[in-house]
Amino acid sequence: MEITTTPLWQGQDNGLNITYYPPQGEARSSAVIVFPGGGYRVMAEHEARPYGEFFAGHGFHAFVADYRTNPNHFPLPLADARRAVRYVRLNAARYGISPEKIAVIGSSAGGHLAALLSTYREKIDFEMNGDAADEQDYLPNAQILCYPVIRLTGEIAHVGSGEKLLGEGWQERGDALSPDVLVTPDTPPAFMWHTAEDSCVDVRNSLTYGAALKAAGVPFEMHIYPDGFHGLGMCAREETFAVHDAAWKNAVVSWLNYIGF
């Protein structure tokens, strides 16, 4: 597999890249863009490259996108996520991708970012780069959320993500940036998985988002596994619960097939 890395923002020296994992075997015309987790503090490697390799191994054009983390605050991570979708859509013909078959996947705080990208439609004044990518739509065609942070405030909030994403005054701003309150009928369809045992990001984050999608008439598929700790990623462990939870991988490929990807 010839993996290639390209600056996410052309002409900007911010160290952000987007890394391409070409499809293996029979190539699909669809893409999956990966946003790793890490609580908006770091980007977790086990939720980055392994995801790219997995989706590429199933024929998808896979991309792992960098985004800014603390001490950078909102809206910078969202601007980076929008840029990643715009980059892939701009270069769709070159890669052999349908611009209407671009999915995003995020884990934990990366799941919050993927969900926010799929729901937050306000303009960001400094998100443009002054190039052709600016003309592309940033809304993905599907969203895949792995044990996602959804609530930034309230009983089931992941406080650390809210603090790192928003900085000072996060308590007052967090509710408006919780994706469940931003869902509309135009929100792309979703696949979610979580464990009921997750003690870091309460499983009710996924359930709350699912309820919001249902209320808006947005199709979704959700898998709640009984056991397993937070941050399992590709479930590349020997414990019985991890072997069981690894079923999400076949399930997400089946779902992508089902929705025409």
Side-chain angles (χ1 to χ4, degrees), residues 83-167:
R83 175 69 182 184
V85 176
R86 285 179 164 131
Y87 169 86
V88 173
R89 200 160 266 144
L90 174 67
N91 293 284
R94 176 164 67 89
Y95 287 113
I97 297 168
S98 167
E100 302 306 317
K101 292 183 179 181
I102 298 173
V104 294
I105 180 170
S107 302
S108 192
H112 178 269
L113 183 60
L116 196 63
L117 173 66
S118 300
T119 55
Y120 186 87
R121 299 293 275 168
E122 299 296 323
K123 182 179 179 182
I124 300 173
D125 289 339
F126 49 86
E127 68 179 308
M128 299 304 186
N129 195 60
D131 60 14
D134 294 347
E135 301 172 8
Q136 302 296 318
D137 189 3
Y138 58 75
L139 190 68
N141 304 108
Q143 51 179 319
I144 302 164
L145 311 180
C146 310
Y147 39 89
V149 174
I150 296 296
R151 296 298 308 170
L152 298 181
T153 57
E155 180 186 0
I156 64 171
H158 187 253
V159 172
S161 291
E163 290 178 328
K164 298 304 183 198
L165 175 63
L166 298 175

Side-chain angles (χ1 to χ4, degrees), residues 181-259:
V181 304
L182 299 170
V183 171
T184 71
D186 295 327
T187 298
F191 176 98
M192 291 175 280
W193 77 275
H194 216 126
T195 68
E197 192 182 28
D198 193 329
S199 61
C200 179
V201 176
D202 194 303
V203 68
R204 288 176 289 176
N205 279 264
S206 286
L207 297 172
T208 296
Y209 194 56
L213 294 170
K214 172 63 176 176
V218 177
F220 70 95
E221 179 172 326
M222 185 187 300
H223 297 259
I224 306 296
Y225 300 100
D227 303 310
F229 50 77
H230 185 71
L232 282 171
M234 299 303 295
C235 298
R237 303 176 63 92
E238 296 181 356
E239 292 94 334
T240 300
F241 67 79
V243 174
H244 178 64
D245 298 353
W248 82 267
K249 296 183 288 187
N250 287 335
V252 74
V253 173
S254 177
W255 178 76
L256 287 165
N257 290 336
Y258 182 69
I259 65 171

